[in-house]
Amino acid sequence: MALLVQKFGGTSLGSIERIKAVAQRIKSSKEKGDDLVVVVSAMGHQTDELTRLASEITVDPPHREMDMLLSTGEQVSISLLTMALNELGTPAISLTGTQAGIITESAHGRARILEIRTERIKNLLDQGQTIVIAGFQGTTLGIGGIAEITTLGRGGSDTSAVALAASLEAAKCEIYTDVPGVLTTDPRIVKNAKLMKSISCDEMLELASLGAAVLHPRAVEIARNFGVTLVVKSSWDNLDGTTLTSNKKPDFSQGGIEHRSPVDGLELLENQAVVALSNIPDRPGIAAELFESLSEGGVNVDLIIQATHQIDSNDITFTVAENELHNALTQCKKLVNTIGGDISFQKDLTKLSIYGAGIMGRPGIASSLFQILSDSGINIRLIATSEVKVSCVIDAELGKKALRNVSEVFKLTDKQITVNPTIENNNEPEVRGIALDKDQIQISVKNVPDKPGTASTICSTLAEKNISLDTIVQSERKHKDKTKDISFTLKKNDRSDAKYALKELIGNWKGSNLEEGESIVRISAVGSGMPFTKGTAGKIFRALANQKINIEMIATSEIRTTCIISEKYGEKALNEIHSCFKLGKNES
Ligand code: ADP
Ligand code: ASP
Ligand code: MG
């Protein structure tokens, strides 16, 4: 007899008929002899509907009252599903997040789970009850805490389910939803998206945080950190779905379930070089030509960054291992001879990276990394961010000093530090999945001082408001007054808080101003074989160029390539990139 946690999402509970069908499914699982803890979301689009009601009263509802309101959605479904189970003769009892002992921090609307006090659940299981728990919610009633209802953030029921599975050491956590599992991309937009039998937690973390709504990124993070076997499958059939596995052993000594340091390790990669092309034409096809010719020349490009363009011209910067620099420059010169533009390069650089799970989801982490480097007087030549890794390219001679200071602040032991790791080709596909995120805006801070600490100040100002950034790009070119521009993307929901905080900050920088770009989407390809494959970026850029789609910004990290493009091309671009990697059914 095993303990299973099963989670049913809103679409699976959209009507009374569906609730009865879910009850039937739970009854069958129970009859197989397993113990069941069931986590549910609000019915259908109830959370959206409640949000809409609030917006008819105020544009800026207090976060506490929103939690009070939204948590009612899940309370409706736990009681109805429990009634349906009892009707079928399956003894069941419903529990709110508070009753289930889900203790969270006090950040309303985005609270992280600290611990789950499982005594009551375990007692009820011993009595043979099936327990139906409200997802997405918890309470601040920790030691000496005051009882306040909190919610975990939209899509957070997945996180409740996996956190329960980790705390109860369940054999498996099954997420039942309206698609057959994790697909190569969103099947609502790409009709021939294909089901994956399995996917690594790192790849899924990237996809989920880049817009693949099928799983809440924090659920994947907990599964990864606590070794929970996580399965995503359809509510409508009995097929296997997608399995995510992690070989980590649960370790509760590292702090709360979601309150542990996300930094698992630190890596230094020496002998790196940066090549910058500036003033190149801003039109579809230029990035494709550049990265295709680098790949033809046998150059394996690591990080790529393209800043927002300034009046018809662009800057593209990339890094390569120093021993590939000569080759890279030869290819760039050929291209610049035909299209125009300037080339510069810098050797003797080192890439310093911190890695783990959920790094960018905790904005304080990247900002303290930048802060440590700035306090150590180290200028960051280039930044690459992702959910599993943040990298900074810095001067080689400061590499060891950076390593010491960063490992001290993140309390890393020697075992967690690697210098020039030799990574073996894992023979994984260069691209496993593509995600489209329509929930981002693009902001540029223009004319910022070009000195150590500027990027760090921007990030820490936003981190203080709990705002996560992505696609952080510093422009190559300097303005006449020697200032630079820094651009990034952030969630639409954080727009007004971010602008408010940044306006105050840039008041200190003479001549600096904020600019919000046109409506954009973020499109990203993810695959753990990407670092071992030449030419992946070139293929993505070519797919976009073939559709005459201009790329506004490019940012990459180890296992992902992201392009920011105009909102109107999002779905077309998703279809195009998906088919260029032959990811669809009958395509491979
Ligand atoms: P639930 O209500 O069950 O939590 P969600 O709407 O949160 O369901 O998540 C399921 C939806 O995620 C699917 O209907 C699908 O449109 C979307 N989705 C986006 N990317 C993917 C992907 N890569 N694989 C599967 N579904 C995806
Ligand atoms: N009901 C919440 C939402 O719609 C939580 C969830 O469904 O996971 O965001
Ligand atoms: Mg969901």
Side-chain angles (χ1 to χ4, degrees):
M1 199 168 67
L3 171 62
L4 301 182
V5 175
Q6 299 188 330
K7 178 253 167 181
F8 294 88
T11 35
S12 312
L13 301 160
S15 63
I16 291 300
E17 285 65 41
R18 289 195 172 169
I19 288 180
K20 286 183 178 170
V22 166
Q24 196 65 53
R25 180 181 271 276
I26 295 169
K27 179 184 159 82
S28 320
S29 302
K30 182 75 187 159
E31 282 170 357
K32 285 186 196 134
D34 293 324
D35 277 340
L36 289 184
V37 169
V38 176
V39 176
V40 293
S41 296
M43 288 173 69
H45 298 289
Q46 181 64 11
T47 314
D48 292 331
E49 179 54 21
L50 292 168
T51 307
R52 194 190 59 73
L53 288 179
S55 73
E56 285 189 7
I57 294 176
T58 165
V59 287
D60 195 15
H63 296 315
R64 179 184 183 276
E65 302 313 324
M66 279 308 284
D67 279 358
M68 206 61 120
L69 177 68
L70 297 189
S71 58
T72 62
E74 272 67 15
Q75 210 165 317
V76 171
S77 29
I78 51 170
S79 46
L80 292 176
L81 180 60
T82 305
M83 288 177 205
L85 281 166
N86 283 313
E87 269 311 286
L88 294 176
T90 304
I93 178 167
S94 64
L95 297 177
T96 63
T98 309
Q99 290 169 326
I102 300 177
I103 314 292
T104 74
E105 60 180 10
S106 58
H108 285 291
R110 51 173 57 150
R112 285 182 183 266
I113 298 175
L114 299 173
E115 62 168 317
I116 303 184
R117 298 189 182 154
T118 51
E119 303 80 20
R120 185 164 180 191
I121 300 175
K122 284 181 176 156
N123 283 338
L124 289 165
L125 284 172
D126 286 345
Q127 292 164 25
Q129 298 272 5
T130 290
I131 304 153
V132 182
I133 299 177
F136 175 60
Q137 56 175 264
T139 172
T140 54
L141 191 57
I143 298 165
I146 325 160
E148 289 286 5
I149 294 175
T150 50
T151 64
L152 312 184
R154 294 303 306 268
S157 297
D158 298 334
T159 296
S160 312
V162 182
L164 279 158
S167 304
L168 294 163
E169 295 184 40
K172 216 194 283 183
C173 179
E174 298 175 330
I175 307 282
Y176 287 89
T177 183
D178 62 342
V179 283
V182 179
L183 286 93
T184 46
T185 192
D186 190 338
R188 285 190 215 170
I189 307 174
V190 178
K191 295 294 166 236
N192 72 339
K194 194 163 84 186
L195 178 69
M196 302 185 207
K197 278 200 159 60
S198 64
I199 180 170
S200 73
C201 282
D202 277 3
E203 288 170 315
M204 191 63 232
L205 248 176
E206 292 282 26
L207 284 172
S209 66
L210 293 165
V214 64
L215 278 175
H216 198 228
R218 283 162 47 193
V220 186
E221 197 181 305
I222 302 171
R224 176 191 182 275
N225 290 341
F226 288 87
V228 177
T229 302
L230 184 57
V231 181
V232 183
K233 57 206 302 193
S234 164
S235 294
W236 326 126
D237 56 39
N238 280 314
L239 300 176
D240 289 343
T242 307
T243 305
L244 279 87
T245 46
S246 145
N247 48 18
K248 282 233 175 141
K249 294 263 169 303
D251 178 4
F252 290 88
S253 66
Q254 300 288 311
I257 291 187
E258 290 195 87
H259 255 244
R260 41 204 285 132
S261 168
V263 183
D264 286 345
L266 173 59
E267 226 175 63
L268 211 61
L269 195 60
E270 296 173 314
N271 305 317
Q272 300 297 297
V274 165
V275 179
L277 272 67
S278 41
N279 298 306
I280 53 175
D282 175 31
R283 59 165 192 262
I286 296 292
E289 259 183 77
L290 170 62
F291 290 98
E292 279 169 353
S293 65
L294 286 166
S295 156
E296 279 156 24
V299 179
N300 198 7
V301 174
D302 183 13
L303 306 175
I304 304 171
I305 272 178
Q306 180 193 293
T308 44
H309 41 83
Q310 304 162 341
I311 324 162
D312 294 341
S313 70
N314 258 343
D315 302 339
I316 299 184
T317 312
F318 59 89
T319 68
V320 287
E322 240 166 33
N323 59 11
E324 302 201 35
L325 177 64
H326 177 76
N327 246 345
L329 289 173
T330 311
Q331 297 303 111
C332 290
K333 276 177 199 151
K334 273 196 234 161
L335 182 70
V336 164
N337 280 342
T338 55
I339 62 166
D342 310 310
I343 306 175
S344 61
F345 67 90
Q346 195 179 346
K347 295 198 294 185
D348 298 322
L349 295 170
T350 286
K351 182 172 82 166
L352 176 140
S353 314
I354 51 171
Y355 58 85
I359 294 190
M360 289 315 281
R362 290 182 178 77
I365 300 295
S367 99
S368 43
L369 171 66
F370 304 151
Q371 187 66 49
I372 303 158
L373 296 177
S374 136
D375 290 349
S376 316
I378 299 171
N379 203 13
I380 307 174
R381 180 67 181 80
L382 204 132
I383 296 169
T385 56
S386 94
E387 209 47 19
V388 297
K389 201 164 200 173
V390 177
S391 303
C392 296
V393 177
I394 58 176
D395 266 349
E397 61 181 41
L398 298 169
K400 292 277 155 54
K401 179 178 176 189
L403 188 85
R404 255 193 330 273
N405 296 355
V406 173
S407 59
E408 208 176 283
V409 172
F410 289 111
K411 299 192 176 61
L412 298 171
T413 61
D414 287 350
K415 269 201 191 143
Q416 292 170 297
I417 300 171
T418 26
V419 178
N420 298 325
T422 39
I423 35 168
E424 305 248 321
N425 191 341
N426 51 16
N427 294 316
E428 292 290 332
E430 57 183 319
V431 173
R432 298 286 325 268
I434 323 274
L436 177 68
D437 189 353
K438 299 179 174 177
D439 193 32
Q440 298 270 313
I441 57 166
Q442 189 251 315
I443 302 244
S444 299
V445 191
K446 300 274 181 186
N447 300 86
V448 300
D450 179 29
K451 59 173 198 227
T454 304
S456 133
T457 316
I458 292 177
C459 290
S460 57
T461 302
L462 295 172
E464 272 166 31
K465 301 270 178 265
N466 220 338
I467 298 172
S468 294
L469 310 184
D470 190 56
T471 328
I472 306 170
V473 174
Q474 317 186 62
S475 67
E476 260 324 294
R477 255 175 279 179
K478 288 187 194 143
H479 296 287
K480 286 200 187 77
D481 59 358
K482 300 242 163 37
T483 59
K484 282 192 158 195
D485 302 334
I486 294 186
S487 310
F488 42 84
T489 63
L490 45 83
K491 272 201 160 67
K492 282 182 181 163
N493 233 351
D494 290 328
R495 175 194 269 124
S496 56
D497 283 354
K499 283 193 172 172
Y500 187 78
L502 288 172
K503 276 196 182 130
E504 218 175 277
L505 171 71
I506 64 173
N508 304 323
W509 295 328
K510 207 168 139 257
S512 179
N513 64 304
L514 272 190
E515 236 176 64
E516 182 176 335
E518 305 274 297
S519 299
I520 49 97
V521 289
R522 177 166 71 148
I523 187 156
S524 312
V526 173
S528 51
M530 204 177 278
F532 309 101
T533 321
K534 292 189 180 81
T536 312
K539 288 186 210 162
I540 297 171
F541 305 152
R542 175 58 59 202
L544 296 174
N546 286 344
Q547 295 299 316
K548 308 220 165 8
I549 298 172
N550 204 20
I551 308 172
E552 310 281 327
M553 279 165 88
I554 301 170
T556 67
S557 185
E558 192 154 78
I559 63 166
R560 68 129 149 167
T561 300
T562 296
C563 297
I564 303 294
I565 58 172
S566 167
E567 187 181 36
K568 59 179 180 273
Y569 299 127
E571 300 200 353
K572 193 173 180 187
L574 188 65
N575 275 287
E576 216 43 48
I577 299 176
H578 188 262
S579 78
C580 105
F581 288 101
K582 300 192 169 44
L583 295 178
K585 290 179 208 155
N586 317 319
E587 274 184 346
S588 48

